[in-house]
């Protein structure tokens, strides 16, 4: 990368994209931006970004363009619409897809970008808004390895860690494996917490013991606190997405003939929670599904840790 | 506690008891010790401890006696044998049972100690030899609350955290809930790692990603490393003990009518591993049970992470 | 067996014992009977039986005594109470324990009977009241093989099939294996029926298809009909007993290191049903636990098969 | 149906199609037949059928055409190839698809047939070759109800039972529910049989007890016998197809938010068997996967029931 900072592009100014783009701007990079709802670009323009009318104009202006969108459908629309990314990429340009998408979608976009002579990296992340703001995401990448090395400084502005994992599809698959473990851990955690409380033990003490030992994962404190505060109705990671990832993991296990008994059991618990109407709640609402049905308040957050009812 | 340091006793000089007793000696406490195999007391005697011939002599000499033994059978033998603990306890004395025992055994010992007019605390720990050496155990206690407060300085020498959880039995039950979560987490982890490798992804990268995010639990790095180094044959926590704890947790769930689908699925996986002859291996050997049977080397540690075989 | 019919004894005149004892009377055997609630013996006395005041008097009068009681506690009380069976047995006498009891209880009774010089057979049955009335039980036996052959004619009056399975304990274990399969089958059946109805298919057609093919087990028609008639509240086989048998089977699998993933999953479903307050309902009430919570009428029998709600 | 017997067509002369077509011929119906490997039609021609060169010629000659093919791919090829079924159907003609296909394929074919003005019925069956020969299949139908009633006599020649289930797709879905139950039952059966043998009980006695009671399903005797004769290598229903049906059922449960914990656990067991290389064996080979790995002969049929190894 030459001493003069290259022109960058950013597509998507949502909960994740906005703070990520701001981190690039703050580091002094010239940035062209687009968002479907243009109003959301205001904080970026205020910080020095140039707003344009189509994704095509972003890639036309930029050497490296990042996109961070809600789902595979949005990622595909931005690429393949008439004034989309594919129309603008070509030799000397690079496209970095950071949206959480499935391996098939990643391949579809990657092949089209590369067919135009441009470089492509799929780069899904672990972490949510606070990590995006702090530039502390974990970035899993796959695709053109030269591009991975070329933009190392930029990835370091967005995340505390980035890895190159191989051909397009590898990063999406890795993210699936991580989320699958998350789903299994959370299910085991909710079962243990339910047993703790039903046996008349103190849920808060359970969390403190976890925090001090070999099982100390940040998610237990975050989700345990959410359960304690009866705050599972406001999702950080919606339960239905957790169930979807478990379903996809079980299916990937089917493809590879890997038996996943614990993951499959967790998947059915989350399905049960969906059946109970908790699809849009936070994944921690799984806890509620494990409680006795006949409790007063069953189906609503329990409100507080404590001794057995 | 008066300014002059009280006489202490320690029963058990094994992998855990030895470093724990040394920590008390180093803090300047006069210590009387006993171990079934007396030779193992040598390092304690070298450090200033007085060795005696029976558990009875320990409690006779000490104001507060700790015991750290292998299992419930050893704990019961030390208490109820002719020259055992129960013969020596009485008003003004205290007995702190730190062995990992079930709630029933804890109650049996506790009731007998208290019937003699002495104070009792069950105090199982989280952590293994390195944490015992460093005085960084997590100590869960239940029983006489006054005793808990009285010996706070001593518990602080042995562990980085100690909690009081209620009546005798509560500490054993809490430890069971913690270990149940450990078993479920490790099963989900082994499934995810198997999927990662079978899908041709890099196991080491998977560990790095976990370490950087919300799922970062120390156990994943420790056990992942053990699997990578093909070192599951040397146990830190034997697989059969993990399965026993899962069985006890499922049974506790039976008592309280708490459905534990994920924990039960994990229990059957560990049973499968026992069926395959991995009882004495480390709990991380569960990973091997999930591999394809027809692999060259199936049933033996895989030796290294890497691309799909 | 000599041409003159031997004196028989029968202990227990409940839902099962009464029709069984009647079948012996109708075949012309002289019968001495006892029941804790003596009034229940009236139909037997009317049919020619002699009623006595204690179990001891039954065995004193009879060459072969059968007992059919509610549970292990009742079986033990009848044997070991001051005027119990053990006081009356001796050389030349035989005791046939037909109650459903665990292997440990069977061994306890068997050893005591044999120590007195009498013969012993444990003989639990498959089938419920209708089969008892029709003399169509399936009788699993274990213990003294000579006794098994000696009383073949009597067993043929009580059941359509009887087998000798080996040492005391074998019959109880076999019955556990049979009931474990029943629990797994019923859980799979309830899942399939729930899927059928939720997918908008006809539950009654599903039952008809099962009845015509390789899966045609009588239990599906009986329990399917119970579900259709919304009649699961009146138990034939209480759900809590089904869950208890699954728990014992999983524990037997623990002893033998046999992984039982499907049985363990079924056990957790029945535990869930117990948690929902369906312990005393028929085992078919498991179906209700699988329905969506937010359905109008959730937790109550659905009332009828039919298209999706 | 007029008194003169209508012209019929039959596509497919394999293990199932051949005996089914013969049953129609024996009842005196004029029959036009086609099979990809024409030589297989010889027995039909010998019995009076007219063999033609393309599926198109079959439907051109027949009022009602049945097809019974190996899988969805074959069913689609026969319909949509240049000289296929779709080219020949039209008003006054009917097409009855009896191959086991998924709901999507059924809809694809049904829509194309109906778009040409012809009538359509999907009609998958339960039962295998012996039932086909004896005309004792169970036929699940969906599609044009008038056609269902019109060909009732013909369906009665092929099966002992036929049902109409609703719109196209309903019959495939019902068959999936039936097979899902089969998979769960067989998994529970293999677990119980493994426990029986490992506990030192007699597997053959277990089968006899099942045959005499409420769990008596023909499949237990057939598959139990196959296991006893160490004959699981020759498939009646290949294990990989059983696993595929369980996978599809779990996915259908995902669509409808129906938790299927027992079915999912069974699915993972069959996946384990596939991982062990038993994909092409009979579904009863699941039994082998549950045995201890270190047994002499593990992975090969155990050869015989009997006492514990």
């Amino acid at each position: 990368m030459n001493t003069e900072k290259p022109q960058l592009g950013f597509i998507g100014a949502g909960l994740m994209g906005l703070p990520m783009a701001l981190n690039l701007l703050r580091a002094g990079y010239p940035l062209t931006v687009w968002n479907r709802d243009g109003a959301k670009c205001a904080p970026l323009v205020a910080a020095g970004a140039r707003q344009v009318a189509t994704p095509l104009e972003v890639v036309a202006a930029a050497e490296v363009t990042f996109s961070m969108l809600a789902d595979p459908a949005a990622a595909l629309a931005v690429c393949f619409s008439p004034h989309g990314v594919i129309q603008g990429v070509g030799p000397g340009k690079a496209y970095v897809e950071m949206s959480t998408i499935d391996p098939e979608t990643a391949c579809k976009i990657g092949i089209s970008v590369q067919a135009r002579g441009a470089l492509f990296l799929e780069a899904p992340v672990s972490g949510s808004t606070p990590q995006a703001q702090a530039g502390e995401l974990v970035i899993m990448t796959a695709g053109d390895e030269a591009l991975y090395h070329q933009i190392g400084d930029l990835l370091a502005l967005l995340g505390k860690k980035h890895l190159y994992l191989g051909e397009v599809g590898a990063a999406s698959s890795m993210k699936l494996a991580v989320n699958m473990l998350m789903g299994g851990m959370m299910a085991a955690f909710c079962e243990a917490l339910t047993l703790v409380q039903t046996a008349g033990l103190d849920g808060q003490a359970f969390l403190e013991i976890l925090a001090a030992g070999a099982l100390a994962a940040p998610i237990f404190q975050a989700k345990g606190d959410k359960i304690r505060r009866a705050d599972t109705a406001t999702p950080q990671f919606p339960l239905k997405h957790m169930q979807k990832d478990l379903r996809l993991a079980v299916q990937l296990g089917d493809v590879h003939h890997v038996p996943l008994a614990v993951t499959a059991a967790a998947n059915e618990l989350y399905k049960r929670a969906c059946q109970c109407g908790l699809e849009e709640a936070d994944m921690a609402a799984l806890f509620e599904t494990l409680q006795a049905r006949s409790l007063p308040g069953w189906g609503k957050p329990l409100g507080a840790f404590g001794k057995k009812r």
Side-chain angles (χ1 to χ4, degrees), chain A:
Chain A
M1 210 165 272
N2 30 5
T3 51
E4 196 170 328
K5 286 184 189 298
Q7 291 284 335
L8 301 181
F10 211 102
I11 294 172
L15 287 172
M16 293 293 285
L18 184 65
M20 291 166 73
L22 276 173
N23 282 336
L24 296 174
L25 281 168
R26 283 172 191 149
Y29 287 90
L31 193 71
T32 304
V33 301
W34 177 87
N35 192 67
R36 196 175 51 173
D37 173 0
K40 290 199 175 165
C41 291
L44 296 174
V45 171
R50 187 171 73 95
Q51 183 174 3
V52 294
T54 65
L56 172 56
E57 292 172 69
V58 176
V59 290
E63 197 173 311
V64 180
T65 299
F66 298 86
S67 83
M68 186 49 131
L69 300 155
D71 52 34
L76 287 168
V78 150
C79 282
F80 297 104
S81 61
H83 298 278
V85 166
I86 302 302
Q87 302 302 321
V89 291
K93 292 192 180 291
Y95 188 59
V96 183
E97 177 58 83
M98 304 190 78
S99 315
T100 289
I101 56 180
D102 54 288
E104 285 73 18
T105 301
C107 290
K108 207 175 220 174
I109 294 174
I111 286 169
S112 299
V113 168
Q114 291 168 336
R116 288 284 192 140
L119 298 176
F120 178 75
L121 215 55
E122 66 161 342
V125 304
S126 266
S128 56
T129 309
Q131 287 77 33
Q133 290 168 336
E136 297 196 341
L137 297 165
V138 178
I139 308 173
M140 293 158 263
T141 75
D144 287 311
E145 191 166 6
L147 176 57
Y148 171 75
H149 293 297
Q150 185 192 329
I151 65 170
D153 291 352
L154 300 173
L155 295 176
L157 289 172
L158 300 173
K160 65 178 170 184
K161 183 170 192 71
H162 52 273
L163 301 92
Y164 178 77
L165 296 165
E167 294 176 13
V168 175
S172 318
S173 295
M174 185 64 90
K175 188 167 179 198
L176 198 58
V178 172
N179 278 14
M180 158 194 160
L181 175 55
M182 180 162 63
M185 281 173 72
M186 274 304 294
F189 171 73
C190 289
E191 288 188 355
L193 186 55
T194 301
L195 188 59
V196 159
Q197 292 201 252
T198 309
L201 301 168
D202 179 3
Q204 190 59 36
F206 179 63
L207 289 184
E208 286 176 30
I209 293 162
L210 293 185
L215 311 186
I219 197 171
F220 293 148
Q221 304 309 312
K223 297 305 184 187
D225 196 51
K226 215 163 170 47
I227 291 169
R228 192 182 52 74
R229 287 184 291 104
D231 183 35
T232 57
T234 58
Q236 288 167 327
F237 188 45
L239 194 144
K240 68 178 179 184
H241 289 172
M242 186 73 263
Q243 197 264 318
K244 181 202 65 184
D245 286 351
L246 286 168
R247 179 176 70 235
L248 292 173
V250 168
Q251 289 174 1
L252 192 58
D254 254 308
V255 171
H256 291 292
H257 284 173
V258 177
L260 300 171
V262 166
T263 303
N267 185 30
E268 299 307 316
L269 281 188
Y270 286 97
K271 273 166 69 178
R272 173 70 184 161
C274 289
Q275 192 193 31
C276 290
L278 296 167
E279 296 158 278
E280 304 295 339
D282 190 76
M283 59 180 277
L286 185 69
F287 175 74
E288 291 155 37
T289 319
L290 300 175
Q291 310 309 305
R293 178 184 68 95
S294 53
L295 280 183
W298 148 257
K300 297 192 188 62
L302 283 184
F305 283 129
K307 299 298 174 130
K308 195 182 171 181
R309 293 78 41 183

